Amino acid sequence: MADEPEHDGMKVDTARAQQLAENISSVAARVQAAAGGRSIRLIAVSKLKPATDILALHSPPTASPPGFGHIHFGENYQQELLEKSRLLPDSIRWHFIGQLQTNKCRPLAEQIPNLWCVESVDTAKKADQLDKGRANLLLSAGSGQTTANTKLRVFVQVNTSGEESKSGCEPSRAADLSKYISEKCPHLQLQGLMTIGAIARSKASSEDNPNEDFVTLRQIRDRVAEVLRVNKETLELSMGMSEDFEGAIRQGSTEVRVGSTIFGERLPKKDAKITEDAKGLSK
């Protein structure tokens, strides 16, 4: 039997690791089938799941060479992400995909060196604070020089469904916000646009009748590309979750965010623990 993966005293149950490996392999196969040869980034959304689950996928016991596994993980809560980033290997590429609070943007960008992307930027104020946070991180690391490799990637989140419960800027403001980030935020890199499609629309959709939220985001991306005078293919589309990622890929998504299909159902936030001896996460 392979040794259980371990990092800073955390050990992964081998049976759990095997189940997670099977789950993510199944999702990856479905992504590949829907992609038709295109390269799609799969974000494993690990919110409210223990750090050992992430370690199991990132450093699986069957990996060769050791330590090679899944890289991209998504989190929704800033404090949970901060705690996990301190516990887990810095080779993980973290994505913050939850609702952003303006006053928490700067610490988010300056306290997590391997924060690879923030996917929920919907105002210029939030972009400004993320930009300042990344600048502070570079200064504290002894380098104030910004290159393409040191910029923090961001997606502009667009509320394509018009649902009040969802975050995101209005579709009509996406181009202006994208331009602002590109021109006024030197420590940020505009990666593309993100949306959370209405699940009811996804359930009613088919290959011949796609979710209109995904079609709308693709059209907005094309308009943004015209405003920025860039090739539209340089702007990614992050859309599609566990319930609808295949339909999103068929509509041009270059990144999908899948959680429960990989990790299983989540505990309530008050009962979720990052480590075995930790208290439940606060509300």
Side-chain angles (χ1 to χ4, degrees), residues 11 16-17 62 86 102 144 162 172 184 194 196 205 211 232 255-256 280:
K11 289 187 177 182
R16 174 63 174 167
T62 57
R86 291 170 175 170
T102 303
S172 61
K184 303 296 184 182
M194 185 271 265
I196 301 174
S205 67
N211 185 329
K232 65 182 181 181
E255 175 188 276
V256 293

Side-chain angles (χ1 to χ4, degrees), residues 158-213:
V158 184
N159 187 343
T160 53
S161 66
E163 295 171 282
E164 292 184 3
S165 60
K166 287 188 169 65
S167 301
C169 69
E170 295 180 4
S172 61
R173 298 181 60 85
D176 286 343
L177 179 54
S178 298
K179 186 176 182 181
Y180 183 88
I181 292 169
S182 297
E183 295 180 351
K184 303 296 184 182
C185 300
H187 302 95
L188 304 183
Q189 174 182 316
L190 179 65
Q191 193 78 2
L193 292 95
M194 185 271 265
T195 196
I196 301 174
I199 296 303
R201 291 176 180 173
S202 286
K203 289 181 177 179
S205 67
S206 64
E207 290 193 36
D208 297 326
N209 181 35
N211 185 329
E212 62 188 84
D213 294 325

Side-chain angles (χ1 to χ4, degrees), residues 211-251:
N211 185 329
E212 62 188 84
D213 294 325
F214 300 151
V215 176
T216 296
L217 191 70
R218 190 180 68 234
Q219 294 170 341
I220 294 170
R221 186 274 311 271
D222 294 350
R223 291 200 295 271
V224 169
E226 290 179 1
V227 170
L228 299 183
R229 297 182 180 179
V230 298
N231 186 323
K232 65 182 181 181
E233 301 302 328
T234 64
L235 296 175
E236 295 187 15
L237 293 173
S238 177
M239 53 190 193
M241 301 188 295
S242 286
E243 300 88 348
D244 55 13
F245 66 85
E246 289 156 309
I249 291 171
R250 287 192 290 268
Q251 291 307 308

Side-chain angles (χ1 to χ4, degrees), residues 95-116:
H95 295 243
F96 185 81
I97 62 175
Q99 185 173 354
L100 277 172
Q101 296 180 36
T102 303
N103 65 335
K104 293 186 177 181
C105 287
R106 187 187 297 197
L108 178 70
E110 69 184 4
Q111 294 179 5
I112 306 174
N114 55 327
L115 178 62
W116 199 79

